Amino acid sequence: MRKLSLANSKWGWPNRDQLAIPLTFSLIMVALYLLPELQSTLIWSREGMSQQEYWRLISGHFLHSNGYHLLMNLGGVWLMLGLFQPYFHTKKLLLFSLGCLLLISIGIYLWVPATYYYVGLSALLHSWFTYGAVKEWQTGQKMGLLMLIGVIAKVAWENTMGASTELASLIDANVAVEAHLLGVISALLLLLPSTMKAKFKRSSA
């Protein structure tokens, strides 16, 4: 069992390094929501991509369809920190996040041709959950494997049965279940080299 006492655990009040990414991402999302005039320039747009406006690969994820959508994603950011605090290191998580955002955006462009516009951070939140679950599993926590199976089952169900109509109505937009799947796949692809390296070291020890 994981010990939760502050003396024996990496869990506790987050330090500045662990807070950096969640706080920065949250401030960016709120700021962009309060500046709707920037949306046409920053939104993930298939037309924009075809015109080589490649910043949209990243910026579109920080926009939201309405206030409910924003609040849900803000809650998701801080929930991920609460669940996986020890793995929120600024440099590692930033590079991982940027890689996932690029892979998700490219994946939508190539494999989801019906999507002309995309906003929201939920795909990256699926990447973060996958990241944390794998890290937990690697440290010997069985719950990590269950979490990983759970998120894979979730995106498989969504992409088979469709998204919740209630959620779509709440956020006033289609729920991009394909992006959630790409978030999980992107995370697994980026984690594969380090996972294989760690496995090789253990087998060589």
Side-chain angles (χ1 to χ4, degrees), residues 65-177:
S65 56
N66 62 19
Y68 293 112
H69 193 196
L70 173 65
L71 289 174
M72 289 175 62
N73 277 185
L74 286 173
V77 167
W78 293 97
L79 175 62
M80 292 301 108
L81 175 63
L83 287 173
F84 305 116
Q85 179 189 330
Y87 314 116
F88 271 59
H89 302 294
T90 302
K91 184 177 180 180
K92 289 182 179 179
L93 188 63
L94 179 59
L95 291 175
F96 174 81
S97 298
L98 291 176
C100 286
L101 290 175
L102 288 172
L103 289 174
I104 292 164
S105 288
I106 293 170
I108 294 171
Y109 186 84
L110 294 176
W111 294 303
V112 195
T115 298
Y116 289 91
Y117 298 99
Y118 173 80
V119 294
L121 202 69
S122 59
L124 181 65
L125 294 177
H126 282 72
S127 297
W128 282 5
F129 191 93
T130 304
Y131 174 83
V134 170
K135 292 297 183 182
E136 285 281 270
W137 186 20
Q138 289 176 339
T139 60
Q141 299 289 340
K142 293 181 180 179
M143 183 58 68
L145 177 58
L146 294 177
M147 288 179 169
L148 182 59
I149 293 172
V151 73
I152 292 173
K154 174 187 180 294
V155 295
W157 173 268
E158 286 179 336
N159 280 269
T160 302
M161 304 303 295
S164 165
T165 56
E166 291 82 5
L167 179 57
S169 177
L170 180 65
I171 67 174
D172 193 26
N174 292 328
V175 180
V177 295

